[in-house]
Amino acid sequence: MRLNFLDKRFFLSFIGLLLVVLGSLKAQSSDNKPKPYDARLKNVQEILKQGKIGPGMDSLDAIIADYPQADDIYFTKAILLAQMRNQDGAIEAIKEALNIQSKPEYLSFAVDAFKSKNDADSALIYLDKLIDRDDNNTASLKRERIMLLFNGGYKDVALEYFYKTKEIAVASDTLDMVGSVLLNDAGNYKAVIDLLKPWADKGTSLAQVYGQLAQAYNLSKNSKLALDYINKGIQTTKEDFLYFDLADLYRFDKKLKLSFDALKQGFQSKKVDFADKNRIIMTLLNPKGPYTKDQLLELVNILVEVHPRIAESHMAKGQVLWLRDDKSAAQSSLAVAVSMNPYQIDAWRMLMSLDMDKGEFDQAIAHGGEALHYVSNNATILYFTSMAYLMKKDMENSRKFMEAALNNAQDESPFLQANIYGGLGDIYNSLQMYKASDAAYIEAIRLDSTNVTAMNNLAYYLSLRKERLDEAIKYAAMATKLQPNNGTFEDTYAWVLFANGKYDDALVWIQKALKNTNPQTAVLLEHYGDILIKLGKTTDAVKQWNLALEKGADTEEGKLKLKKKIETKSYVE
């Protein structure tokens, strides 16, 4: 169940983006007091009307450089950055505006910006300042505060604040609906019903009341009343997003056709926020979702038809097409997304990943270069560009871009930082910079204790060099524990045990690897033969080496080594 009015994000089309920013510029320029940069501001309007976002941003920066106390220009820049999904940049810009002048509209924007990053603590700081400043919207701001406390994990505090607010506030279906979210989450369904049933029976026009009430009835094992109230809500309020609640109820009753039909009705409505639809699609991308891939494609086709000018609709379609293994069509959809919003980093990331998945490494590099024209020095784009060069075995360029990614990743998530260090580990190892490689892998694991790829690669390369084998065993074991039944990781663990002379244990793990790898690789079969020969099983070892030779070794040197093992019926270093 959603809270449509409490969880709005900036999801506008490219045209909508311009209208919002131009509207902001008009509002600023219509101030009674003329400003020395009014003419330049008008020029920015004209630039944005032509769709030239980059030059428009440059012009705003030029105004700021000449008039560093122009809080309204910082605010306009914040809006533009938010529309381009650059929330970090938007937050920095609105902070600058607030440092100059603490206007209610700036505080409100800051709350929304931090909410979009799921940073409830920071949003609460600015919301409390706004509550102190804005006497006209106290009731709505207090409701917002309840939900921010709840979403920030302060559930008991949120419930206490709700009851205190309810004691002094006029009876309100909106406030009771907010409280019902907390009570439903706490499992107090009776309290929810007591709060909301009177409002629903009176025929309130607030659609969320029916959604929350239906959820309480459904969780109380009364699906009939749940359906009755949702259908009443649809008829009374004419709010089409209630079809999503109806779809949920049918899905809980395992009536999947009725559930999907209800979803389609919600998706076909132009009154339902794109954000709601997009969140549903992202949830349904789970491979264990209730609907088929054909049904998902039908939904995203509706999404694109109803919201053709929103880049994220094409991103969603690209993801579904990729899930269906229609990679060329997925590339086309993602290409449309980045052409509509070239500042959409996730779209570039997906497009470059898809390029590499198809083996089109030069295309990935080209897309990386195009993306960096709009989002220069972006750590994510630099990382994926480096990975494309790595796939091409162009180690120097791969190193250059990965080190650039690291230099620009100070404010990025530990997850991305860990992936960058893991990439550096791979690159430095290929360049025989072993100390630097080991250090990079260890830093990747420190930043992300679940980074199984870094654990696996560090263990494997240590075993090849016969260095710190106890450490190699530790990391290989951690990788197999964190991601069981992964044939690659099991092969590494077997090989590390082999390097440590633990042949019986190595046999157990290589057999697991063979079971979990399809198709079996030449390296895996060669390792199996190596372990068997150490256990005195010569005939079986030679058989596996022959199978490996048939698969084809990666290098001519590897092929010659395999032939020598077969000829001599012995292990060759």
Side-chain angles (χ1 to χ4, degrees), residues 2 239-245 247-248 259-285 291 295-308 310 312-313 316-317 320:
R2 297 150 324 286
E239 288 286 1
D240 292 340
F241 72 79
L242 286 176
Y243 282 113
F244 296 150
D245 294 331
D248 284 343
S259 175
F260 183 69
D261 289 343
L263 263 187
K264 280 175 58 178
Q265 285 184 274
F267 270 72
Q268 288 164 347
S269 173
K270 293 183 178 180
K271 295 194 299 179
V272 178
D273 279 352
F274 171 80
D276 279 334
K277 299 174 185 178
N278 197 49
R279 277 195 294 275
I280 289 170
I281 289 292
M282 294 304 105
T283 301
L284 295 179
L285 287 175
Y291 308 111
Q295 288 174 318
L296 287 180
L297 184 60
E298 189 173 353
L299 287 179
V300 291
N301 281 334
I302 295 170
L303 193 68
V304 169
E305 181 181 349
V306 177
H307 305 280
I310 298 182
E312 282 74 13
S313 67
K317 183 172 181 178
V320 171

Side-chain angles (χ1 to χ4, degrees), residues 79-148:
I79 294 173
L80 184 58
L81 287 165
Q83 296 301 325
M84 295 187 301
R85 309 302 190 272
N86 185 349
Q87 293 299 341
D88 291 331
I91 286 169
E92 289 307 310
I94 200 62
K95 282 182 177 178
E96 293 289 349
L98 283 164
N99 285 338
I100 299 165
Q101 194 167 171
S102 184
K103 292 182 179 179
E105 59 266 36
Y106 299 173
L107 291 167
S108 180
F109 183 92
V111 172
D112 283 339
F114 280 111
K115 279 174 59 181
S116 73
K117 288 180 66 67
N118 297 316
D119 185 350
D121 288 337
S122 296
L124 279 165
I125 292 170
Y126 289 96
L127 181 60
D128 286 339
K129 292 178 180 179
L130 186 58
I131 290 172
D132 291 339
R133 289 284 308 274
D134 190 345
D135 294 330
N136 297 322
N137 298 294
T138 302
S140 63
L141 293 176
K142 285 186 174 181
R143 293 194 298 268
E144 180 80 350
R145 190 173 194 276
I146 292 167
M147 288 310 303
L148 272 176

Side-chain angles (χ1 to χ4, degrees), residues 500-513:
N500 215 28
K502 298 180 178 181
Y503 304 127
D504 288 325
D505 291 338
L507 180 63
V508 171
W509 284 95
I510 200 71
Q511 288 174 339
K512 288 183 179 182

Side-chain angles (χ1 to χ4, degrees), residues 516-536:
N516 291 315
T517 304
N518 186 23
Q520 294 170 351
T521 65
V523 171
L524 182 59
L525 293 167
E526 184 177 4
H527 285 173
Y528 189 23
D530 295 342
I531 293 167
L532 289 169
I533 201 73
K534 291 293 184 179
L535 290 169

